Coordinates of all heavy atoms in Angstrom, one line a residue:
E1 N 10.1 44.9 -24.1 CA 9.2 44.9 -22.9 C 8.1 43.7 -23.0 O 7.8 43.0 -22.2 CB 8.4 46.1 -22.7 CG 7.6 46.2 -21.5 CD 6.9 47.6 -21.3 OE1 7.8 48.5 -21.2 OE2 5.8 47.6 -21.3
C2 N 7.6 43.5 -24.2 CA 6.7 42.5 -24.5 C 7.3 41.0 -24.4 O 6.7 40.2 -23.9 CB 6.2 42.7 -25.9 SG 4.7 41.5 -26.3
R3 N 8.7 41.0 -24.9 CA 9.3 39.6 -24.8 C 9.6 39.2 -23.4 O 9.6 38.2 -23.0 CB 10.7 39.7 -25.5 CG 10.3 39.7 -27.0 CD 11.6 39.7 -27.8 NE 11.3 39.8 -29.2 CZ 12.2 39.6 -30.2 NH1 13.4 39.2 -29.9 NH2 11.8 39.8 -31.4
E4 N 9.8 40.2 -22.5 CA 10.1 40.1 -21.1 C 8.8 39.4 -20.4 O 8.9 38.6 -19.6 CB 10.6 41.4 -20.4 CG 12.0 41.8 -20.8 CD 12.4 43.1 -20.1 OE1 11.6 43.5 -19.1 OE2 13.3 43.7 -20.6
S5 N 7.8 40.1 -20.9 CA 6.5 39.6 -20.2 C 6.2 38.2 -20.7 O 5.8 37.4 -19.8 CB 5.3 40.6 -20.7 OG 5.5 41.8 -20.2
I6 N 6.4 37.8 -21.9 CA 6.3 36.4 -22.4 C 7.1 35.5 -21.6 O 6.7 34.5 -21.2 CB 6.5 36.4 -23.9 CG1 5.3 37.2 -24.6 CG2 6.6 34.9 -24.3 CD1 5.4 37.3 -26.1
E7 N 8.3 35.9 -21.5 CA 9.3 35.0 -20.7 C 9.0 34.9 -19.2 O 8.9 33.7 -18.7 CB 10.8 35.8 -20.7 CG 11.8 34.8 -20.2 CD 13.2 35.3 -20.3 OE1 13.5 36.2 -21.4 OE2 14.1 35.0 -19.6
I8 N 8.4 35.9 -18.6 CA 7.9 35.8 -17.2 C 6.8 34.9 -17.2 O 6.6 33.9 -16.3 CB 7.5 37.2 -16.7 CG1 8.9 38.0 -16.5 CG2 6.7 37.0 -15.3 CD1 8.6 39.5 -16.1
C9 N 5.8 35.0 -18.1 CA 4.8 34.1 -18.1 C 5.1 32.7 -18.4 O 4.5 31.7 -17.6 CB 3.7 34.5 -19.4 SG 2.8 36.0 -18.9
N10 N 6.1 32.4 -19.3 CA 6.6 31.0 -19.5 C 7.2 30.5 -18.3 O 7.0 29.3 -17.9 CB 7.5 31.1 -20.6 CG 6.9 31.1 -22.0 OD1 5.7 30.8 -22.1 ND2 7.5 31.7 -23.0
N11 N 7.9 31.3 -17.5 CA 8.6 30.9 -16.3 C 7.5 30.4 -15.2 O 7.7 29.5 -14.5 CB 9.6 31.9 -15.8 CG 10.8 32.0 -16.6 OD1 11.1 31.1 -17.4 ND2 11.5 33.1 -16.5
L12 N 6.6 31.4 -15.1 CA 5.4 31.0 -14.2 C 4.7 29.8 -14.4 O 4.3 29.0 -13.6 CB 4.5 32.2 -14.1 CG 4.9 33.5 -13.4 CD1 4.0 34.7 -13.5 CD2 5.3 33.1 -11.9
F13 N 4.5 29.6 -15.8 CA 3.8 28.4 -16.2 C 4.7 27.1 -15.9 O 4.1 26.1 -15.4 CB 3.6 28.4 -17.8 CG 2.9 27.3 -18.3 CD1 1.5 27.0 -18.1 CD2 3.6 26.3 -19.1 CE1 1.0 25.8 -18.6 CE2 3.1 25.1 -19.5 CZ 1.7 24.8 -19.3
S14 N 6.0 27.2 -16.2 CA 6.8 26.2 -15.8 C 6.9 25.8 -14.4 O 6.9 24.6 -13.9 CB 8.2 26.4 -16.3 OG 8.2 26.4 -17.8
E15 N 7.0 26.9 -13.5 CA 7.1 26.7 -12.1 C 5.7 26.0 -11.6 O 5.7 25.2 -10.7 CB 7.3 28.0 -11.4 CG 7.5 27.8 -10.0 CD 7.9 29.2 -9.3 OE1 8.4 30.1 -10.0 OE2 7.7 29.4 -8.1
N16 N 4.6 26.5 -12.2 CA 3.3 25.9 -11.7 C 3.1 24.5 -12.1 O 2.6 23.7 -11.3 CB 2.2 26.8 -12.4 CG 0.8 26.4 -11.9 OD1 0.7 25.8 -10.9 ND2 -0.2 26.7 -12.6
K17 N 3.7 24.1 -13.3 CA 3.6 22.8 -13.7 C 4.5 21.9 -12.9 O 4.1 20.8 -12.5 CB 4.0 22.7 -15.2 CG 3.9 21.3 -15.9 CD 4.2 21.3 -17.2 CE 4.2 20.0 -18.0 NZ 4.5 18.8 -17.2
H18 N 5.6 22.3 -12.5 CA 6.4 21.7 -11.6 C 5.8 21.4 -10.3 O 6.0 20.3 -9.7 CB 7.8 22.4 -11.4 CG 8.8 21.8 -10.5 ND1 9.5 20.7 -10.7 CD2 9.2 22.3 -9.2 CE1 10.2 20.5 -9.6 NE2 10.0 21.3 -8.7
N19 N 5.2 22.5 -9.7 CA 4.6 22.2 -8.4 C 3.4 21.3 -8.4 O 3.3 20.5 -7.5 CB 4.0 23.6 -7.9 CG 5.1 24.6 -7.5 OD1 6.3 24.1 -7.1 ND2 4.9 25.9 -7.4
R20 N 2.6 21.2 -9.5 CA 1.6 20.4 -9.7 C 2.1 18.9 -9.7 O 1.6 18.0 -9.2 CB 0.7 20.7 -10.8 CG -0.3 21.8 -10.6 CD -1.2 22.1 -11.7 NE -0.4 22.7 -13.0 CZ -0.6 22.2 -14.2 NH1 -1.6 21.4 -14.4 NH2 0.2 22.7 -15.0
D21 N 3.2 18.7 -10.6 CA 3.8 17.4 -10.7 C 4.4 16.9 -9.4 O 4.2 15.8 -9.1 CB 4.8 17.5 -11.8 CG 4.3 17.7 -13.1 OD1 3.2 17.5 -13.4 OD2 5.2 18.0 -14.1
E22 N 5.0 17.8 -8.6 CA 5.6 17.5 -7.3 C 4.4 17.0 -6.4 O 4.5 16.0 -5.7 CB 6.4 18.4 -6.7 CG 7.2 18.2 -5.6 CD 8.0 19.2 -5.1 OE1 8.4 20.1 -5.8 OE2 8.4 19.0 -3.9
K23 N 3.3 17.7 -6.3 CA 2.1 17.4 -5.5 C 1.6 16.0 -5.9 O 1.3 15.2 -5.1 CB 1.1 18.4 -5.8 CG 0.7 19.2 -4.5 CD -0.5 20.1 -4.8 CE -0.8 21.0 -3.6 NZ -1.8 21.9 -3.9
M24 N 1.4 15.7 -7.3 CA 0.9 14.4 -7.6 C 1.9 13.3 -7.3 O 1.5 12.2 -6.9 CB 0.7 14.5 -9.1 CG 0.1 13.2 -9.7 SD -0.4 13.2 -11.5 CE 1.1 13.5 -12.2
N25 N 3.1 13.5 -7.4 CA 4.2 12.5 -7.0 C 4.1 12.2 -5.6 O 4.2 11.0 -5.1 CB 5.6 12.9 -7.5 CG 5.9 12.8 -9.0 OD1 5.1 12.1 -9.7 ND2 6.8 13.6 -9.3
N26 N 3.9 13.2 -4.8 CA 3.8 12.9 -3.3 C 2.6 12.2 -3.0 O 2.5 11.3 -2.2 CB 3.8 14.3 -2.5 CG 5.2 14.9 -2.7 OD1 6.2 14.2 -2.7 ND2 5.2 16.1 -2.3
A27 N 1.4 12.5 -3.7 CA 0.2 11.7 -3.4 C 0.3 10.2 -3.9 O -0.1 9.5 -3.2 CB -1.0 12.4 -4.1
L28 N 0.9 10.0 -4.9 CA 1.1 8.7 -5.5 C 2.0 7.9 -4.5 O 1.8 6.6 -4.4 CB 1.6 8.7 -7.0 CG 0.6 9.1 -7.9 CD1 1.2 9.1 -9.4 CD2 -0.6 8.2 -8.0
Y29 N 3.0 8.6 -4.2 CA 4.0 7.9 -3.2 C 3.3 7.5 -1.9 O 3.3 6.3 -1.4 CB 5.1 8.9 -2.7 CG 6.0 8.4 -1.6 CD1 7.0 7.5 -1.9 CD2 5.9 8.9 -0.4 CE1 7.8 7.0 -0.8 CE2 6.6 8.5 0.6 CZ 7.6 7.5 0.4 OH 8.4 7.1 1.4
F30 N 2.3 8.4 -1.3 CA 1.6 8.1 -0.2 C 0.7 6.9 -0.4 O 0.5 6.0 0.5 CB 0.9 9.3 0.3 CG -0.1 9.0 1.5 CD1 0.4 8.9 2.8 CD2 -1.4 8.9 1.3 CE1 -0.4 8.7 3.9 CE2 -2.3 8.6 2.4 CZ -1.7 8.5 3.6
L31 N 0.0 7.0 -1.5 CA -1.0 5.8 -1.9 C -0.3 4.4 -2.1 O -0.8 3.4 -1.6 CB -1.8 6.1 -3.1 CG -2.8 7.3 -2.9 CD1 -3.4 7.7 -4.3 CD2 -3.9 6.9 -2.0
T32 N 0.9 4.5 -2.6 CA 1.7 3.4 -2.8 C 2.1 2.7 -1.5 O 2.1 1.5 -1.2 CB 3.0 3.6 -3.7 OG1 2.5 4.2 -5.0 CG2 3.8 2.4 -3.9
V33 N 2.6 3.5 -0.6 CA 3.0 3.1 0.8 C 1.8 2.4 1.5 O 1.9 1.4 2.0 CB 3.7 4.3 1.6 CG1 3.9 3.8 3.0 CG2 5.0 4.6 1.0
V34 N 0.6 3.2 1.4 CA -0.5 2.5 2.1 C -0.9 1.3 1.4 O -1.3 0.4 2.3 CB -1.6 3.7 2.1 CG1 -3.0 3.1 2.5 CG2 -1.3 4.9 2.9
T35 N -0.9 1.2 0.2 CA -1.3 0.0 -0.5 C -0.3 -1.2 -0.2 O -0.7 -2.3 0.1 CB -1.3 0.3 -2.0 OG1 -2.3 1.2 -2.2 CG2 -1.7 -1.1 -2.8
T36 N 0.9 -0.8 -0.1 CA 1.9 -1.9 0.3 C 1.7 -2.4 1.7 O 1.9 -3.6 1.8 CB 3.3 -1.2 0.2 OG1 3.6 -0.8 -1.1 CG2 4.5 -2.3 0.5
I37 N 1.2 -1.5 2.5 CA 1.0 -2.0 4.0 C -0.2 -2.9 4.0 O -0.3 -4.0 4.7 CB 0.9 -0.8 4.9 CG1 2.3 -0.2 5.0 CG2 0.5 -1.3 6.2 CD1 2.3 1.2 5.7
F38 N -1.3 -2.5 3.4 CA -2.6 -3.2 3.6 C -2.9 -4.3 2.6 O -3.9 -5.1 2.9 CB -3.7 -2.1 3.6 CG -3.8 -1.3 4.7 CD1 -3.3 0.0 4.7 CD2 -4.1 -1.8 6.0 CE1 -3.3 0.9 5.8 CE2 -4.0 -1.0 7.2 CZ -3.6 0.3 7.1
V39 N -2.2 -4.5 1.5 CA -2.6 -5.5 0.5 C -2.4 -6.9 1.0 O -3.4 -7.8 0.9 CB -1.8 -5.4 -0.8 CG1 -1.8 -6.7 -1.6 CG2 -2.4 -4.3 -1.5
P40 N -1.4 -7.3 1.8 CA -1.3 -8.6 2.6 C -2.5 -8.9 3.4 O -3.1 -10.0 3.3 CB -0.1 -8.5 3.3 CG 0.8 -7.5 2.7 CD -0.1 -6.6 2.2
A41 N -2.9 -8.0 4.2 CA -4.1 -8.2 5.0 C -5.3 -8.3 4.2 O -6.3 -9.2 4.5 CB -4.3 -6.9 6.0
Q42 N -5.6 -7.7 3.2 CA -6.7 -7.8 2.3 C -6.6 -9.2 1.6 O -7.7 -9.9 1.5 CB -6.7 -6.7 1.2 CG -7.1 -5.3 1.8 CD -7.0 -4.2 0.7 OE1 -6.5 -4.4 -0.3 NE2 -7.6 -3.1 1.1
F43 N -5.5 -9.7 1.2 CA -5.4 -10.9 0.6 C -5.8 -12.1 1.5 O -6.7 -12.9 1.2 CB -4.0 -11.2 0.1 CG -3.7 -12.6 -0.3 CD1 -4.2 -13.1 -1.4 CD2 -3.1 -13.4 0.5 CE1 -3.9 -14.3 -1.9 CE2 -2.8 -14.7 0.1 CZ -3.3 -15.3 -1.1
L44 N -5.4 -12.0 2.7 CA -5.8 -13.0 3.7 C -7.3 -12.9 4.1 O -7.8 -14.0 4.2 CB -4.9 -12.8 4.9 CG -3.5 -13.2 4.9 CD1 -2.8 -12.9 6.2 CD2 -3.3 -14.7 4.6
T45 N -7.8 -11.6 4.1 CA -9.2 -11.6 4.5 C -10.1 -12.2 3.2 O -11.1 -12.8 3.5 CB -9.5 -10.1 4.6 OG1 -8.8 -9.5 5.7 CG2 -11.1 -9.9 4.9
G46 N -9.6 -11.9 2.0 CA -10.3 -12.4 0.9 C -10.2 -14.0 0.9 O -11.2 -14.7 0.5
L47 N -9.1 -14.4 1.1 CA -8.8 -15.9 1.1 C -9.7 -16.6 2.2 O -10.4 -17.6 2.0 CB -7.3 -16.2 1.3 CG -7.0 -17.7 1.4 CD1 -7.3 -18.3 -0.1 CD2 -5.6 -17.9 1.7
Y48 N -9.6 -16.1 3.5 CA -10.4 -16.8 4.6 C -11.8 -16.3 4.6 O -12.5 -16.9 5.4 CB -9.6 -16.6 5.9 CG -8.4 -17.3 6.1 CD1 -7.2 -16.8 5.8 CD2 -8.4 -18.5 6.5 CE1 -6.0 -17.5 5.9 CE2 -7.3 -19.3 6.6 CZ -6.0 -18.8 6.2 OH -4.9 -19.6 6.4
G49 N -12.2 -15.3 3.9 CA -13.6 -14.9 3.8 C -14.4 -15.8 3.0 O -15.5 -15.7 3.0
M50 N -13.8 -16.6 2.1 CA -14.5 -17.5 1.2 C -15.0 -18.8 1.9 O -14.5 -19.0 3.0 CB -13.6 -18.0 0.1 CG -13.1 -16.7 -0.6 SD -11.8 -17.2 -1.9 CE -12.6 -18.2 -3.0
N51 N -16.0 -19.2 1.4 CA -16.7 -20.5 2.0 C -16.0 -21.7 1.4 O -16.2 -22.2 0.4 CB -18.2 -20.5 1.7 CG -18.9 -19.5 2.4 OD1 -18.5 -19.0 3.5 ND2 -19.9 -18.9 1.7
F52 N -15.1 -22.3 2.3 CA -14.3 -23.5 1.8 C -14.9 -24.6 2.6 O -14.5 -25.0 3.7 CB -12.8 -23.4 2.3 CG -12.1 -22.4 1.5 CD1 -11.7 -21.0 1.9 CD2 -11.6 -22.6 0.3 CE1 -11.1 -20.2 1.3 CE2 -10.9 -21.6 -0.5 CZ -10.7 -20.5 -0.1
T53 N -15.9 -25.2 2.0 CA -16.6 -26.3 2.7 C -16.7 -27.4 1.6 O -16.8 -27.1 0.4 CB -17.9 -26.0 3.2 OG1 -18.8 -25.5 2.1 CG2 -17.9 -25.0 4.4
K54 N -16.8 -28.6 2.1 CA -16.9 -29.7 1.1 C -18.4 -29.9 0.9 O -19.3 -29.2 1.5 CB -16.4 -30.9 1.8 CG -15.0 -31.0 2.1 CD -14.6 -32.3 2.8 CE -13.0 -32.1 3.1 NZ -12.5 -33.2 3.9
E55 N -18.9 -30.8 0.1 CA -20.3 -30.9 -0.2 C -21.1 -31.3 0.9 O -22.3 -31.0 1.0 CB -20.4 -32.0 -1.4 CG -19.9 -31.6 -2.7 CD -20.0 -32.6 -3.9 OE1 -20.8 -33.6 -3.6 OE2 -19.5 -32.4 -4.8
D56 N -20.5 -32.1 1.9 CA -21.2 -32.5 3.1 C -21.3 -31.4 4.2 O -21.8 -31.5 5.2 CB -20.6 -33.7 3.7 CG -19.2 -33.6 4.1 OD1 -18.7 -32.5 4.0 OD2 -18.6 -34.5 4.7
G57 N -20.7 -30.2 4.0 CA -20.6 -29.1 4.8 C -19.6 -29.0 5.8 O -19.4 -27.9 6.6
T58 N -18.6 -30.1 5.8 CA -17.4 -29.9 6.8 C -16.4 -29.0 6.1 O -16.3 -28.9 4.8 CB -16.9 -31.3 6.9 OG1 -16.5 -31.8 5.6 CG2 -17.8 -32.2 7.7
P59 N -15.7 -28.2 7.1 CA -14.7 -27.2 6.5 C -13.6 -28.0 5.8 O -13.1 -29.1 6.1 CB -14.1 -26.6 7.7 CG -15.2 -26.8 8.8 CD -15.8 -28.1 8.3
N60 N -13.2 -27.2 4.6 CA -12.1 -27.9 3.8 C -10.7 -27.5 4.2 O -9.7 -28.1 3.8 CB -12.4 -27.6 2.4 CG -11.8 -28.4 1.3 OD1 -11.4 -29.5 1.7 ND2 -11.7 -28.0 0.1
M61 N -10.7 -26.3 5.0 CA -9.4 -25.9 5.3 C -9.2 -26.3 6.8 O -10.0 -26.1 7.7 CB -9.4 -24.3 5.2 CG -9.5 -23.8 3.9 SD -9.6 -22.1 3.8 CE -8.0 -21.6 4.2
P62 N -7.8 -26.7 7.0 CA -7.7 -27.2 8.5 C -7.8 -26.1 9.4 O -8.2 -26.3 10.7 CB -6.3 -27.6 8.4 CG -5.8 -27.7 7.1 CD -6.8 -27.0 6.3
E63 N -7.5 -24.8 9.1 CA -7.5 -23.8 10.1 C -9.0 -23.5 10.6 O -9.1 -22.9 11.7 CB -7.1 -22.3 9.4 CG -5.6 -22.4 9.1 CD -5.2 -22.9 7.7 OE1 -6.2 -23.5 7.1 OE2 -4.0 -23.0 7.3
L64 N -10.0 -23.8 9.8 CA -11.4 -23.5 10.2 C -11.8 -24.4 11.4 O -12.7 -24.1 12.0 CB -12.2 -23.8 9.1 CG -12.0 -22.7 7.8 CD1 -13.0 -23.0 6.7 CD2 -12.3 -21.3 8.4
T65 N -11.1 -25.5 11.5 CA -11.4 -26.5 12.5 C -10.5 -26.4 13.8 O -10.8 -27.0 14.8 CB -11.3 -27.9 12.0 OG1 -9.9 -28.2 11.6 CG2 -12.2 -28.2 10.9
W66 N -9.5 -25.6 13.7 CA -8.5 -25.4 14.8 C -9.3 -24.6 16.0 O -10.1 -23.6 15.7 CB -7.4 -24.7 14.5 CG -6.6 -25.4 13.6 CD1 -6.6 -26.7 13.2 CD2 -5.4 -24.9 12.8 NE1 -5.6 -27.1 12.4 CE2 -4.8 -25.9 12.1 CE3 -4.8 -23.7 12.7 CZ2 -3.7 -25.7 11.2 CZ3 -3.7 -23.4 12.0 CH2 -3.2 -24.5 11.3
E67 N -9.0 -24.9 17.2 CA -9.7 -24.1 18.3 C -9.3 -22.6 18.4 O -10.2 -21.7 18.5 CB -9.1 -24.8 19.6 CG -9.7 -24.0 20.8 CD -9.4 -24.7 22.2 OE1 -8.9 -25.8 22.1 OE2 -9.5 -24.1 23.2
N68 N -8.0 -22.4 18.0 CA -7.6 -20.9 17.8 C -7.4 -20.5 16.5 O -6.5 -19.6 16.2 CB -6.4 -20.7 18.8 CG -6.8 -21.0 20.2 OD1 -7.6 -20.6 20.7 ND2 -5.8 -21.6 20.8
G69 N -8.2 -21.0 15.6 CA -7.9 -20.6 14.2 C -8.1 -19.0 14.0 O -7.4 -18.5 13.2
Y70 N -9.1 -18.5 14.6 CA -9.2 -17.0 14.4 C -8.1 -16.2 14.9 O -7.7 -15.3 14.3 CB -10.6 -16.6 15.1 CG -11.1 -15.3 14.9 CD1 -11.6 -14.8 13.5 CD2 -11.2 -14.3 15.9 CE1 -12.1 -13.7 13.3 CE2 -11.6 -13.0 15.5 CZ -12.1 -12.7 14.3 OH -12.5 -11.5 14.0
L71 N -7.6 -16.7 16.1 CA -6.5 -16.0 16.6 C -5.3 -16.1 15.7 O -4.5 -15.1 15.5 CB -6.1 -16.6 18.0 CG -4.8 -16.1 18.7 CD1 -4.9 -14.5 19.0 CD2 -4.5 -16.8 19.9
Y72 N -5.0 -17.2 15.1 CA -3.8 -17.6 14.2 C -4.1 -16.6 12.9 O -3.1 -16.1 12.4 CB -3.9 -18.9 13.8 CG -3.5 -19.9 14.9 CD1 -4.1 -21.2 14.9 CD2 -2.7 -19.6 15.9 CE1 -3.7 -22.0 15.9 CE2 -2.4 -20.4 16.8 CZ -2.9 -21.7 16.9 OH -2.6 -22.5 18.0
F73 N -5.3 -16.5 12.4 CA -5.6 -15.5 11.3 C -5.1 -14.2 11.7 O -4.4 -13.5 10.8 CB -7.1 -15.6 11.1 CG -7.4 -14.4 10.0 CD1 -7.0 -14.6 8.7 CD2 -8.1 -13.4 10.5 CE1 -7.4 -13.5 7.8 CE2 -8.4 -12.2 9.7 CZ -8.1 -12.3 8.4
W74 N -5.4 -13.7 12.8 CA -5.1 -12.3 13.1 C -3.6 -12.2 13.4 O -3.0 -11.1 13.2 CB -5.9 -11.7 14.3 CG -7.2 -11.4 13.9 CD1 -8.5 -12.0 14.1 CD2 -7.5 -10.2 13.0 NE1 -9.5 -11.3 13.5 CE2 -8.9 -10.2 12.8 CE3 -6.8 -9.3 12.5 CZ2 -9.6 -9.2 12.2 CZ3 -7.5 -8.3 11.8 CH2 -8.8 -8.3 11.6
M75 N -3.0 -13.3 13.9 CA -1.5 -13.3 14.2 C -0.7 -13.1 12.7 O 0.1 -12.4 12.6 CB -1.2 -14.4 14.9 CG -1.6 -14.4 16.4 SD -1.2 -15.9 17.4 CE 0.5 -16.3 16.9
M76 N -1.3 -14.0 11.9 CA -0.7 -14.0 10.5 C -0.9 -12.6 9.8 O 0.0 -12.0 9.2 CB -1.4 -15.1 9.7 CG -0.5 -15.4 8.4 SD -1.1 -16.9 7.6 CE -2.6 -17.1 8.0
T77 N -2.1 -12.1 10.0 CA -2.4 -10.8 9.3 C -1.5 -9.6 10.0 O -0.9 -8.9 9.1 CB -3.9 -10.5 9.5 OG1 -4.8 -11.3 8.9 CG2 -4.2 -9.0 8.9
T78 N -1.4 -9.7 11.3 CA -0.5 -8.6 11.9 C 0.9 -8.8 11.5 O 1.7 -7.9 11.3 CB -0.7 -8.7 13.5 OG1 -2.0 -8.6 13.8 CG2 0.1 -7.7 14.1
G79 N 1.4 -10.1 11.4 CA 2.8 -10.4 11.1 C 3.1 -9.9 9.6 O 4.0 -9.4 9.4
L80 N 2.2 -10.1 8.7 CA 2.4 -9.6 7.4 C 2.4 -8.1 7.2 O 3.3 -7.5 6.4 CB 1.3 -10.3 6.4 CG 1.6 -11.8 6.1 CD1 0.5 -12.2 5.2 CD2 2.9 -11.8 5.2
T81 N 1.5 -7.5 8.0 CA 1.4 -6.1 8.1 C 2.7 -5.5 8.6 O 3.3 -4.5 8.1 CB 0.2 -5.6 8.7 OG1 -1.0 -6.1 8.2 CG2 0.1 -4.1 8.7
L82 N 3.2 -6.1 9.7 CA 4.4 -5.5 10.3 C 5.6 -5.8 9.4 O 6.5 -5.0 9.3 CB 4.6 -6.2 11.6 CG 3.7 -5.8 12.8 CD1 4.0 -6.6 14.0 CD2 3.9 -4.2 13.0
L83 N 5.6 -6.8 8.7 CA 6.7 -7.2 7.6 C 6.6 -6.2 6.6 O 7.7 -5.6 6.1 CB 6.6 -8.6 7.1 CG 7.4 -9.0 6.1 CD1 9.0 -9.1 6.7 CD2 7.1 -10.3 5.5
S84 N 5.5 -5.8 6.1 CA 5.3 -4.7 5.1 C 6.0 -3.4 5.5 O 6.6 -2.7 4.9 CB 4.0 -4.5 4.6 OG 3.4 -5.7 4.0
V85 N 5.6 -3.1 6.7 CA 6.1 -1.7 7.3 C 7.5 -1.9 7.5 O 8.3 -0.9 7.1 CB 5.4 -1.5 8.7 CG1 6.1 -0.3 9.4 CG2 3.9 -1.2 8.4
L86 N 8.2 -3.0 7.9 CA 9.6 -3.1 8.1 C 10.3 -3.0 6.7 O 11.3 -2.4 6.8 CB 9.9 -4.6 8.7 CG 11.4 -5.0 8.8 CD1 12.0 -3.9 10.0 CD2 11.5 -6.3 9.2
L87 N 9.7 -3.6 5.8 CA 10.4 -3.5 4.4 C 10.3 -2.1 3.9 O 11.3 -1.6 3.3 CB 9.5 -4.5 3.5 CG 9.9 -5.9 3.7 CD1 9.1 -6.8 2.7 CD2 11.3 -6.2 3.4
I88 N 9.3 -1.4 4.2 CA 9.3 0.0 3.8 C 10.3 0.9 4.4 O 11.0 1.6 3.9 CB 7.7 0.7 4.1 CG1 6.9 0.1 3.1 CG2 7.8 2.2 3.9 CD1 5.4 0.5 3.4
F89 N 10.5 0.6 5.8 CA 11.6 1.3 6.6 C 12.9 0.9 6.1 O 13.8 1.9 6.0 CB 11.5 1.0 8.1 CG 10.4 1.9 8.8 CD1 9.3 1.2 9.4 CD2 10.3 3.2 8.6 CE1 8.4 2.0 10.0 CE2 9.4 4.0 9.3 CZ 8.4 3.4 9.9
V90 N 13.1 -0.2 5.7 CA 14.5 -0.7 5.3 C 14.7 -0.2 3.9 O 15.7 0.4 3.6 CB 14.5 -2.3 5.1 CG1 15.7 -2.8 4.4 CG2 14.5 -2.8 6.6
A91 N 13.7 -0.1 3.0 CA 13.8 0.4 1.7 C 14.2 2.0 1.8 O 14.9 2.6 1.0 CB 12.7 0.3 0.9
R92 N 13.5 2.6 2.8 CA 13.8 4.1 3.0 C 15.2 4.2 3.4 O 15.8 5.2 3.1 CB 12.8 4.6 4.1 CG 11.9 5.5 3.4 CD 11.1 6.3 4.6 NE 9.7 6.6 4.0 CZ 8.8 7.1 4.8 NH1 9.0 7.2 6.1 NH2 7.6 7.4 4.2
H93 N 15.7 3.4 4.5 CA 17.0 3.6 5.0 C 18.1 3.4 3.9 O 19.1 4.2 3.9 CB 17.2 2.6 6.0 CG 18.6 2.5 6.7 ND1 19.0 3.5 7.5 CD2 19.5 1.6 6.5 CE1 20.2 3.2 7.8 NE2 20.7 2.0 7.3
Y94 N 17.8 2.5 3.0 CA 18.8 2.4 1.8 C 18.5 3.2 0.7 O 19.2 3.2 -0.3 CB 18.8 0.8 1.5 CG 19.5 0.0 2.4 CD1 18.8 -0.9 3.2 CD2 20.9 0.0 2.6 CE1 19.4 -1.7 4.3 CE2 21.5 -0.7 3.7 CZ 20.7 -1.6 4.5 OH 21.3 -2.4 5.4
G95 N 17.7 4.1 0.8 CA 17.4 5.1 -0.3 C 16.6 4.7 -1.5 O 16.6 5.3 -2.5
Y96 N 15.9 3.6 -1.3 CA 15.1 3.2 -2.5 C 13.7 3.8 -2.5 O 13.1 4.0 -3.6 CB 14.8 1.5 -2.4 CG 16.0 0.8 -2.5 CD1 16.3 0.0 -1.5 CD2 16.7 0.8 -3.7 CE1 17.6 -0.9 -1.6 CE2 17.8 0.1 -3.9 CZ 18.3 -0.8 -2.8 OH 19.4 -1.6 -3.0
L97 N 13.3 4.3 -1.3 CA 12.1 5.1 -1.3 C 12.3 6.6 -1.0 O 13.3 6.9 -0.2 CB 11.0 4.5 -0.4 CG 10.6 3.3 -0.7 CD1 9.6 2.7 0.4 CD2 9.9 3.3 -2.0

């Protein structure tokens, strides 16, 4: 009777550990997907958020002098984000995720 109780406790412990591991894996999966989607946008924001000027104060990056440079930035950010989402769907379709 005592051995049966020990075996039941061990089984409950193993099941609990399995459930916690599965929860953690799901949370890490979600965080990885979110990071994959938003990292390209963060990279572009960091790159274009820096002050790229010459010593005389003129912009060093051509995009800063374009009439629609801000629009091009958002188009590029949106395009990279959509590309990331598309890659996630393709990876899911082929069973990589």
Side-chain angles (χ1 to χ4, degrees):
E1 184 175 305
C2 190
R3 288 183 188 195
E4 288 178 19
S5 296
I6 290 173
E7 188 176 331
I8 289 172
C9 286
N10 285 335
N11 289 339
L12 287 174
F13 178 76
S14 294
E15 188 175 336
N16 185 20
K17 185 177 182 325
H18 173 74
N19 288 338
R20 284 185 291 140
D21 289 343
E22 189 174 341
K23 245 184 182 179
M24 184 174 61
N25 285 340
N26 288 337
L28 288 175
Y29 171 77
F30 175 76
L31 290 173
T32 302
V33 169
V34 169
T35 301
T36 303
I37 291 172
F38 289 108
V39 161
Q42 289 177 344
F43 170 73
L44 289 176
T45 302
L47 181 67
Y48 285 96
M50 298 169 67
N51 294 324
F52 290 102
T53 58
K54 298 178 186 174
E55 290 181 13
D56 61 356
T58 59
N60 202 20
M61 296 176 68
E63 293 89 352
L64 297 175
T65 60
W66 295 349
E67 182 178 341
N68 294 321
Y70 190 66
L71 175 66
Y72 294 143
F73 166 77
W74 280 110
M75 288 171 51
M76 194 168 28
T77 301
T78 304
L80 281 174
T81 303
L82 291 175
L83 178 66
S84 298
V85 170
L86 177 68
L87 288 175
I88 288 172
F89 282 125
V90 168
R92 252 192 204 169
H93 177 73
Y94 287 109
Y96 293 117
L97 294 178

